[in-house]
Amino acid sequence: MLIDIKSRLHEDLIQELLSYSVFPDPDRLEQATKEYETDKNLWLFGYESEGRLVGIIGFRINDGQEMRITHLTVEPESRGVGFGRGIILEIIEDMHPVTIEVEADEETVQFYRNIGFRISSLGEKYPGMENFLCVYEVEEANEEE
């Protein structure tokens, strides 16, 4: 179940989960926290399983219902069992985006590919690290089901 956690941003658990998506840079965690505090168009939801917060998703969604994911993470001990996919499916159901975009690195691009995102390389955004643009067309996916 997804719940709005933006007002709980400074809780230790929320900070820990957010840190997994900006690791290993504490400055980037502080910057992300400030962005969530000051940008009213930036959403932050937590994903609960059996009453426990196991993941988060941060995103923007514009008037055209185009979503841009800024952060998506599942706690390390809960990875690989479908929570990431569950977060994406619930956010589609709750927010009704027509497209979802996210930038991913080499470690996470396979996750997005496996759930139906189109992948294109952005090249080396940072030295030695290829980044990818992952795009999900929600209407196309719904038509295929």
Side-chain angles (χ1 to χ4, degrees):
M1 171 172 50
L2 284 175
I3 56 169
D4 186 344
I5 58 169
K6 194 168 177 178
S7 65
R8 298 170 45 195
L9 190 56
H10 289 282
E11 290 180 16
D12 289 345
L13 179 57
I14 309 300
Q15 286 289 295
E16 182 181 341
L17 286 168
L18 190 55
S19 76
Y20 296 137
S21 62
V22 296
F23 183 80
D25 188 343
D27 291 337
R28 288 182 57 203
L29 174 60
E30 186 177 322
Q31 178 185 0
T33 300
K34 283 183 179 163
E35 286 176 12
Y36 283 107
E37 287 176 323
T38 59
D39 188 342
K40 66 179 180 20
N41 296 314
L42 197 54
W43 300 71
L44 185 65
F45 282 84
Y47 189 74
E48 283 188 338
S49 174
E50 298 178 7
R52 214 174 109 249
L53 198 60
V54 296
I56 60 168
I57 184 170
F59 61 91
R60 286 186 168 78
I61 189 163
N62 65 22
D63 291 339
Q65 291 302 101
E66 297 163 320
M67 179 179 284
R68 176 92 176 168
I69 295 174
T70 52
H71 299 99
L72 174 64
T73 192
V74 172
E75 64 181 357
E77 55 272 12
S78 297
R79 292 180 183 162
V81 295
F83 288 132
R85 177 188 281 274
I87 292 171
I88 298 286
L89 292 174
E90 281 204 35
I91 211 68
I92 289 170
E93 188 175 309
D94 291 355
M95 302 303 291
H96 311 288
V98 294
T99 61
I100 303 172
E101 279 190 1
V102 61
E103 271 188 42
D105 59 21
E106 292 179 69
E107 281 185 37
T108 57
V109 70
Q110 196 59 40
F111 163 77
Y112 292 105
R113 181 177 283 121
N114 287 344
I115 59 175
F117 280 72
R118 272 184 298 111
I119 310 298
S120 54
S121 176
L122 295 171
E124 283 190 20
K125 203 167 176 186
Y126 306 101
M129 185 191 303
E130 185 175 8
N131 272 43
F132 302 87
L133 179 63
C134 309
V135 179
Y136 189 76
E137 303 286 342
V138 177
E139 293 304 314
E140 287 178 17
N142 287 340
E143 290 170 10
E144 291 172 10
E145 290 177 2

